[in-house]
Amino acid sequence: MRHIALTSLILIAGCAQIRDTTDGLFSGPSSSSASEAAEAPESDGSEQVEEVVATEEFDPGWTGAKQTIAGLGDVAKPGIWLETPLVSKERSGRVVFRKTGASAFVTLIPIEGAETAGSRLSLEAMRTLLAPIDQLIELDVYTN
């Protein structure tokens, strides 16, 4: 009987520690973070948007974005690449996952097809973008 009571106490204490470490992940900021955020001056987020726009528009090394829908490519082929009909020769590029804004530098590999045809993204690139590998994703493709 003592063993059951002791085991129960240990499990309950362990659950409390796990809950403390995962509260920020699953339920948003902790109460101390929330109070700090309440004291900070409020921002409408326009500064952050302006910075992103400035990077996209005025970065001299990257040309305008073309959009494509991509699925998972050949998982046996290593590297971070995008096979796409948007380029006519192999070159370096950058892709932005439209849903999250995550970006990755990739090797753009040309494939046959119309520019409106889909693209294939490497497993490593999908992981870099934190994209679901079992779904089609919308990408902005920049060349350099």
Side-chain angles (χ1 to χ4, degrees):
M1 188 66 159
R2 283 190 248 177
H3 294 295
I4 294 173
L6 182 60
T7 304
S8 298
L9 288 173
I10 291 171
L11 290 174
I12 291 171
C15 290
Q17 287 177 345
I18 291 172
R19 185 175 28 252
D20 289 343
T21 59
T22 59
D23 276 346
L25 293 174
F26 299 111
S27 65
S30 65
S31 59
S32 62
S33 298
S35 63
E36 289 171 8
E39 293 172 9
E42 291 198 22
S43 170
D44 61 357
S46 61
E47 297 87 11
Q48 191 174 25
V49 171
E50 289 174 16
E51 288 176 21
V52 171
V53 170
T55 302
E56 299 295 333
E57 288 181 15
F58 300 111
D59 186 352
W62 299 100
T63 62
K66 294 184 180 180
Q67 297 169 354
T68 189
I69 303 292
L72 182 62
D74 183 2
V75 295
K77 186 175 177 181
I80 300 177
W81 46 264
L82 175 71
E83 294 176 329
T84 181
L86 298 175
V87 295
S88 57
K89 63 180 183 176
E90 189 170 306
R91 60 189 336 156
S92 61
R94 183 170 65 101
V95 294
V96 177
F97 182 21
R98 299 189 82 191
K99 184 175 182 180
T100 64
S103 68
F105 294 99
V106 298
T107 300
L108 300 172
I109 302 170
I111 57 174
E112 294 294 320
E115 282 198 10
T116 56
S119 301
R120 298 182 293 262
L121 193 60
S122 71
L123 179 60
E124 231 176 298
M126 287 277 211
R127 287 180 177 160
T128 301
L129 295 171
L130 301 174
I133 61 173
D134 61 343
Q135 296 177 10
L136 296 175
I137 62 171
E138 292 182 69
L139 296 174
D140 288 329
V141 181
Y142 297 87
T143 57
N144 123 351

